[in-house]
Amino acid sequence: MKKLKVLALALMCAVFSPSKADEGMWLLQLMQEQNLADRMKAQGLKMDIADIYNPDKLTLKDAVGIFGGGCTGEIISPNGLILTNHHCGYDAIQQHSSVEHDYLTDGFWAKNYEEELPTPGLKFRFVERIIDVTDRVNEDIRKGKIEEAASFGAPYMKKVADETLKKSDLKKAPGISAMALPFYEGNRFYVFFIKTYTDVRMVAAPPSSLGKFGGETDNWMWPRHTCDFSMFRIYADKDGNPADYSKDNVPLQVKKFLPISLKGLQEGDYAMIMGFPGSTSRYLTESEVKLRMDAVNTPRIQVREARQNVLSKEMAASDKVRIQYASKYAGSSNYWKNSIGMNKAIVDNKVLETKAEQEERFLNFAKAKQHADYQGVVQQINDYVARVMPLQTQSTYFSEVFRGIEFESAHKAFADLKEALQKNKKKDIEKAIETLKERFAEVHNKDYDHEVDRKVATVLLPLYAEKVPAEALPDFYQTIKEKFNGDYNAYIKALYENTIFANEKNFNDFIANPTVEAIDNDLMVQYSAAKAKTAKALADKLDEARGDINLLHKTYVRGLCEMYAPTPKAPDANFTIRLTYGNVKSYDPKDGVHYKYYTTLKGVMEKEDPNNPEFVVPAKLKELYQTKNYGRYALPNGEMPTCFLTTNDITGGNSGSPVMNGNGELIGCAFDGNWESLSGDINFDNNLQRCIAVDIRYVLFIVEKFGGCKNLIDEMNIIE
């Protein structure tokens, strides 16, 4: 198609542009086309770009993968050893923890394979192959096999992925699946073949006093002193193929792993990161940035803060609750603080003004080209924002509140049981009851506390009523008003004590004698059904209001790429493998303040506060500090490095990504961005944007000297 050819030209003309800042989460498969090698070498890359990614041979790409559901991990030994962040492994660490074996507090160190812990549900995924299917999609659109607006959609993308895999030599390979996604807002399409390993075992994790040192106070901040790492291992069958857990599985003998450099780093040194950034929105208009601020970030901040206040109080009062809710609290608070920082940075960094200037320039560009679609597209996007603003605000409040309250009943399963009872079908009754048993166990799982959740509901249900129009409230709010005289506490008490799913006794009494009347009168069944009804109605309204927004974005991004040519533009992040390059660099956040590019263990001791759980320092670490027992991991001046800064472009999903030097050797593990540039997902700031990484020397020091795992050090390829 002509329009796609224009975009391709804009993407390929980079060779003529001057070496510029470090913005860009670049697609590996476009590095040659976009002539990135010269730009990377100008900043310090020493290795051949073909050794970073080449579809015909093993490269750095083959040592990096998706850890769990939303992080990056890298392979650091020939025996399938994975390095990722502590906060990425936090779910697994919490899963294995109990009051008796509190790995969150004490850490975990496996001294041999036998001590490594199987972790059900944890997966590690490699990108096996990347295929350009843009021509195929455009041909389907041209022939009328798919409407252009539907070409972005999951059903069509799944069809493309499935058909591409079916025609591939990998179609019967163990553990291989395919995923198709649009890029550049639907101007390009790629299929990714993914190899998934399902036997991943926990190997090492520092105590949270190290892995989460600084807690929420230091989150997104610099200077940082957090030893944010954990280690896991991939196991496979005897032939190296993916296999579910078995005692007969063996450590995966990988074809590619990252060497580790202890040579240190200096300001200006080259740094590159490969990983799976989750989501950016660099092509938003000014009005869409306001939509993000007011309809997404603000509601999220308000609801999560209310819930976290409840959880923090309950976690402080009980070790059992602390362990149960540790991962939930960490996940919630991370993007609570991110949303606060993003809204502040958008204002401080004048993002709205920058977007407005870009739109003015784009309009002038469109007029000069006499391109009618380009001239009108921004106003059409603004019209879309006006339509969806109130609905998106309501949707965010809804999702935040009702994800924050965990207790619910399986109203669909109850509906099936009700129908079976009415028809007196014994087999259907038994089947429905078995489903209800499964759903009850899912609600009352080991990481759920009924009383804690009740307290959360007591705060969030009234908050939701305050924030959305009365006509948008689920039907159960009418029940609160009419049957409980508006008394939320009375309603919630009945909900959490008297309903079928409230406790094991109530549930067992019901399944011993299930009746239609009991189902119809159950407050929690009514609550869950009303919630689902409201969710569907809201989703339908949003879908209608969004209209052809995907096509508008496709047009706008195509036009922007043309306007900025020959400078290349990277597509927004979508949790596919990307490369970013930059340099080790300090920064000046405000007048009179300078932040150097690295921190040391001295800063940990300076921050120590035994009365603040976020800043407790383990006695063993203090002993190592006092004796300066750092081994080969110390700086030339004898200090122990902890964290460092680079200008790499990262976002959520990059957590755990390898930070590599110009030779492709591991120098650190990325774990955060800096507070001053939290608007970076929307608008990259060349002066302020920084990636925070834990220095690999600090990681190895903790593994060897603190954890006593010389066995792990011995299996790595360490370059001094």
Side-chain angles (χ1 to χ4, degrees):
M1 292 177 70
K2 183 178 180 182
K3 292 178 179 178
L4 268 295
K5 288 179 180 177
V6 172
L7 176 65
L9 179 64
L11 293 172
M12 288 189 290
C13 288
V15 68
F16 300 108
S17 70
S19 182
K20 199 172 177 289
D22 311 308
E23 176 182 358
M25 300 174 184
W26 303 101
L27 292 171
L28 301 183
Q29 62 270 31
L30 287 181
M31 287 195 303
Q32 299 281 4
E33 182 178 315
Q34 293 181 320
N35 297 292
L36 293 182
D38 291 341
R39 299 162 68 93
M40 294 163 71
K41 287 183 181 298
Q43 291 189 223
L45 177 68
K46 295 180 175 63
M47 63 190 300
D48 192 319
I49 195 170
D51 292 323
I52 296 174
Y53 172 75
N54 185 324
D56 299 320
K57 69 176 186 178
L58 286 171
T59 59
L60 289 184
K61 180 269 292 182
D62 299 295
V64 181
I66 298 172
F67 179 86
C71 282
T72 301
E74 53 270 14
I75 308 302
I76 59 170
S77 90
N79 304 321
L81 187 63
I82 302 166
L83 175 68
T84 190
N85 286 157
H86 183 271
H87 73 262
C88 293
Y90 205 63
D91 279 347
I93 303 167
Q94 186 267 341
Q95 176 182 334
H96 289 298
S97 293
S98 63
V99 175
E100 294 76 24
H101 299 286
D102 188 354
Y103 300 131
L104 290 172
T105 299
D106 303 329
F108 174 79
W109 308 100
K111 302 302 191 332
N112 50 57
Y113 292 148
E114 288 71 28
E115 293 180 2
E116 296 176 358
L117 297 179
T119 308
L122 183 58
K123 300 177 182 179
F124 195 85
R125 291 172 280 174
F126 292 100
V127 175
E128 193 78 359
R129 190 177 297 172
I130 306 170
I131 300 170
D132 189 339
V133 292
T134 305
D135 289 344
R136 178 254 164 92
V137 173
N138 289 336
E139 185 70 4
D140 281 357
I141 294 171
R142 188 183 68 79
K143 290 182 176 179
K145 293 182 178 180
I146 187 73
E147 292 185 3
E148 188 174 17
S151 66
F152 304 86
Y156 176 69
M157 285 288 92
K158 184 178 186 306
K159 179 175 183 287
V160 171
D162 290 347
E163 291 177 357
T164 305
L165 179 58
K166 189 175 181 180
K167 295 176 183 177
S168 167
D169 59 305
L170 295 177
K171 63 184 177 181
K172 294 184 179 179
I176 294 291
S177 61
M179 172 183 67
L181 290 170
F183 293 78
Y184 293 102
E185 301 295 338
N187 286 286
R188 279 203 170 183
F189 296 85
Y190 293 94
V191 169
F192 296 79
F193 288 174
I194 307 294
K195 178 177 276 191
T196 301
Y197 287 86
T198 55
D199 186 355
V200 180
R201 306 186 190 181
M202 189 164 80
V203 175
S208 294
S209 56
L210 298 180
K212 286 176 65 69
F213 182 77
E216 285 311 308
T217 301
D218 274 6
N219 193 17
W220 305 105
M221 309 302 287
W222 183 263
R224 202 66 171 275
H225 302 83
T226 313
C227 198
D228 196 346
F229 85 92
S230 57
M231 291 181 179
F232 293 79
R233 193 184 305 278
I234 302 170
Y235 280 71
D237 67 18
K238 60 182 176 59
D239 298 317
N241 293 317
D244 289 339
Y245 169 78
S246 167
K247 62 180 178 58
D248 297 323
N249 286 349
V250 296
L252 177 66
Q253 300 304 294
V254 298
K255 298 176 182 178
K256 183 69 178 179
F257 64 94
L258 298 181
I260 295 170
S261 171
L262 299 185
K263 291 178 285 189
L265 43 92
Q266 301 294 325
E267 178 131 13
D269 282 357
Y270 179 83
M272 69 182 167
I273 292 175
M274 191 179 291
F276 293 81
S279 177
T280 56
S281 305
R282 299 271 169 82
Y283 296 102
L284 294 182
T285 64
E286 179 189 10
S287 64
E288 288 178 302
V289 176
K290 292 177 181 175
L291 180 71
R292 171 72 65 85
M293 294 175 73
D294 298 338
V296 178
N297 289 350
T298 296
R300 178 185 291 151
I301 292 164
Q302 292 172 347
V303 176
R304 292 195 180 194
E305 185 168 300
R307 178 173 180 254
Q308 287 161 201
N309 287 342
V310 175
L311 295 185
S312 61
K313 182 179 178 180
E314 298 301 314
M315 291 166 70
S318 164
D319 282 340
K320 176 177 175 291
V321 172
R322 174 180 56 79
I323 293 169
Q324 286 177 310
Y325 283 84
S327 183
K328 297 174 190 176
Y329 185 91
S332 174
S333 63
N334 191 37
Y335 273 89
W336 162 76
K337 190 169 183 180
N338 177 277
S339 297
I340 294 171
M342 181 185 291
N343 277 6
K344 183 179 187 302
I346 286 170
V347 175
D348 292 349
N349 300 338
K350 300 187 182 304
V351 172
L352 295 174
E353 291 86 344
T354 300
K355 291 291 184 181
E357 290 169 5
Q358 176 177 266
E359 289 164 31
E360 183 178 359
R361 180 184 170 192
F362 181 74
L363 181 58
N364 292 334
F365 166 79
K367 287 178 178 178
K369 288 183 67 73
Q370 298 183 332
H371 198 302
D373 287 348
Y374 291 173
Q375 289 181 55
V377 69
V378 172
Q379 184 55 53
Q380 289 176 283
I381 292 173
N382 293 344
D383 293 341
Y384 146 80
V385 170
R387 292 195 306 271
V388 303
M389 179 72 81
L391 292 171
Q392 183 59 62
T393 304
Q394 183 184 329
S395 177
T396 306
Y397 276 119
F398 185 91
S399 61
E400 290 291 334
V401 165
F402 292 108
R403 276 203 303 257
I405 300 170
E406 298 176 78
F407 183 41
E408 64 175 349
S409 68
H411 68 279
K412 290 183 180 179
F414 274 110
D416 291 342
L417 177 57
K418 178 180 174 179
E419 182 180 356
L421 288 169
Q422 289 171 330
K423 294 180 178 180
N424 197 26
K425 291 188 174 182
K426 185 177 180 181
K427 286 188 177 180
D428 289 348
I429 292 172
E430 291 174 351
K431 181 180 178 182
I433 287 176
E434 286 306 308
T435 300
L436 285 173
K437 287 179 179 179
E438 293 173 4
R439 298 295 178 268
F440 180 86
E442 288 171 3
V443 171
H444 293 273
N445 60 73
K446 76 179 185 66
D447 295 326
Y448 172 80
D449 186 287
H450 201 57
E451 289 306 304
V452 171
D453 197 62
R454 181 215 294 256
K455 292 175 181 178
V456 170
T458 302
V459 171
L460 295 193
L461 288 183
L463 176 62
Y464 185 71
E466 293 173 11
K467 297 299 182 180
V468 303
E471 62 271 17
L473 294 172
D475 292 341
F476 67 79
Y477 277 92
Q478 196 63 25
T479 302
I480 297 172
K481 180 180 178 180
E482 294 176 356
K483 295 187 177 180
F484 292 85
N485 297 316
D487 187 340
Y488 283 96
N489 289 333
Y491 172 75
I492 292 168
K493 181 177 176 14
L495 203 64
Y496 279 74
E497 292 182 7
N498 302 335
T499 54
I500 296 169
F501 261 34
N503 53 60
E504 197 166 349
K505 180 181 184 305
N506 289 5
F507 182 66
N508 289 337
D509 287 347
F510 169 78
I511 61 175
N513 182 31
T515 67
V516 170
E517 182 181 13
I519 296 171
D520 285 342
N521 292 333
D522 191 81
L523 281 178
M524 181 48 77
V525 173
Q526 296 168 11
Y527 166 94
S528 297
K531 188 176 73 169
K533 176 184 172 184
T534 300
K536 183 180 185 309
L538 184 54
D540 290 345
K541 288 179 182 178
L542 269 170
D543 285 343
E544 182 180 354
R546 285 179 177 130
D548 291 332
I549 186 60
N550 288 336
L551 293 180
L552 296 177
H553 283 148
K554 182 175 182 177
T555 299
Y556 186 45
V557 169
R558 184 172 63 246
L560 285 175
C561 286
E562 290 181 31
M563 183 179 79
Y564 282 110
T567 302
K569 301 292 286 183
D572 272 325
N574 58 358
F575 204 48
T576 54
I577 193 163
R578 305 293 180 95
L579 179 101
T580 77
Y581 60 90
N583 301 91
V584 175
K585 193 173 182 180
S586 56
Y587 75 108
D588 302 310
K590 53 189 174 183
D591 184 48
V593 177
H594 174 76
Y595 285 147
K596 67 180 182 181
Y597 66 90
Y598 72 98
T599 56
T600 69
L601 193 56
K602 178 183 178 183
V604 174
M605 303 306 158
E606 291 173 343
K607 286 182 176 179
E608 181 187 13
D609 181 355
N611 298 315
N612 184 341
E614 293 185 332
F615 294 98
V616 170
V617 179
K620 187 171 183 179
L621 184 62
K622 287 194 281 188
E623 179 184 337
L624 291 167
Y625 174 74
Q626 289 162 359
T627 59
K628 306 299 180 187
N629 185 12
Y630 305 146
R632 56 179 169 166
Y633 307 117
L635 295 168
N637 66 3
E639 292 188 292
M640 182 68 232
T642 52
C643 300
F644 64 92
L645 294 171
T646 73
T647 59
N648 291 87
D649 187 2
I650 67 161
T651 189
N654 273 123
S655 291
S657 294
V659 186
M660 296 167 281
N661 62 20
N663 295 314
E665 299 160 350
L666 189 66
I667 57 174
C669 187
F671 70 88
D672 216 346
N674 60 319
W675 179 255
E676 295 84 3
S677 67
L678 284 183
S679 56
D681 284 356
I682 294 171
N683 191 71
F684 187 89
D685 189 302
N686 294 320
N687 295 317
L688 291 176
Q689 198 98 2
R690 293 293 182 274
C691 163
I692 304 173
V694 57
D695 195 304
I696 195 63
R697 292 169 292 182
Y698 191 30
V699 171
L700 299 188
F701 160 71
I702 292 298
V703 169
E704 180 177 346
K705 300 291 186 175
F706 185 93
C709 284
K710 184 68 163 51
N711 55 304
L712 299 179
I713 302 295
D714 289 343
E715 67 178 272
M716 302 173 194
N717 178 17
I718 297 175
I719 300 169
E720 298 193 59

